[in-house]
Amino acid sequence: SPAAEQRFLTGGHGRERIEIMANDFVIVGPVADPAGIRGLPVGEALRRMADTEAPFVSRADDSGTHTRERSLWRDAGIEPSGSWYMEIGQGMGEALRIASERAGYTISDRATYLALSHSLELDVLVEGDAGLRNVYSVITTTRGRNRRGADALAAWLSSAEGQSRIGAFGAEEFGRSLFEPLVPASQD
C-alpha cells in the first residue's frame, strides 16, 4: 500500500522507499461467472457483484491487497456488507481457496493466483484496469538492527542483477514473468 508506506516514512520509521517491481491485481471468480463480470471495468464489476450479492471473499486483514480492495469498493461507491461479503481475516491463499470452494469472487495479486491456480476452480475475470496495478517497494528503516544488511538488500534489489532476476521470476514456470522491474538501469 503506497499510502501506508508514505505514512510509515512520514512517521520517521523509514529512511528511503524504492519502488522495486510491479504486477497487477485481478478479480477472479467461478468459470461460469454467475454475476456476469467477465471483461467489465473494475467499478462496474464490483457494482454488479454487489447488486447480485454474488459471494465475495475479502481478506479483511489490513494487507496491501485488502487496502486496495477497500479503495476499489469506495471508488465504485459501494460499502460492501451482508452475508454475500465474507471477511475472513486471512491471507491471499486462503481467500482464493474459500472463493473457489464457495463459487465466489475475490481480488488477488496475479502472482499468487497463478501459483495456486492449478488447485482452484477460478478464472481471471477482470484485469488490465489502471486501478489494479500493484507496486512493491523496499523501505530501509531508521531503527533496524542490521542497517548495513538492509542497505545491501535494497541496493541489490535495485541493481541491474536484482532487477534482471525480478524480471525473469516465474517466466519458466508460467510462460511470463510474474513481476515487472521498476528501477531504471541508470539508477544502478
Side-chain angles (χ1 to χ4, degrees):
S1 172
E5 292 170 351
Q6 193 55 51
R7 286 191 302 274
F8 183 81
L9 287 167
T10 302
H13 306 292
R15 291 183 285 125
E16 181 180 29
R17 175 182 176 266
I18 304 167
E19 291 185 349
I20 296 297
M21 61 189 176
N23 68 1
D24 61 341
F25 292 109
V26 292
I27 299 178
V28 298
V31 176
D33 187 20
I37 68 165
R38 188 181 304 272
L40 293 177
V42 172
E44 191 175 332
L46 294 173
R47 283 188 289 280
R48 182 146 326 155
M49 284 187 284
D51 289 347
T52 62
E53 296 189 352
F56 186 91
V57 179
S58 172
R59 286 177 62 163
D61 62 355
D62 288 328
S63 64
T65 302
H66 181 231
T67 300
R68 180 62 59 86
E69 176 210 320
R70 286 191 318 239
S71 72
L72 291 169
W73 286 113
R74 191 172 38 256
D75 291 349
I78 299 165
E79 180 64 42
S81 64
S83 61
W84 65 275
Y85 185 75
M86 296 170 265
E87 296 178 292
I88 64 167
Q90 297 185 51
M92 195 72 259
E94 193 64 11
L96 286 163
R97 185 187 66 74
I98 291 169
S100 182
E101 288 175 356
R102 297 194 181 177
Y105 298 84
T106 194
I107 294 173
S108 176
D109 64 283
R110 187 182 298 269
T112 303
Y113 168 75
L114 286 173
L116 300 176
S117 63
H118 66 281
S119 64
L120 303 171
E121 293 191 32
L122 300 171
D123 264 358
V124 172
L125 301 173
V126 177
E127 61 186 326
D129 189 287
L132 296 175
R133 185 159 171 79
N134 186 21
V135 175
Y136 295 82
S137 301
V138 62
I139 298 174
T140 53
T141 61
T142 56
R143 291 184 274 265
R145 288 188 207 162
N146 186 357
R147 187 174 185 154
R148 194 173 338 171
D151 289 344
L153 175 61
W156 184 82
L157 287 169
S158 57
S159 73
E161 180 185 356
Q163 291 289 286
S164 176
R165 293 259 186 111
I166 288 167
F169 185 75
E172 191 172 307
E173 184 175 353
F174 300 106
R176 62 178 257 175
S177 175
L178 297 182
F179 299 97
E180 167 196 350
L182 292 180
V183 178
S186 62
Q187 254 189 274
D188 192 13

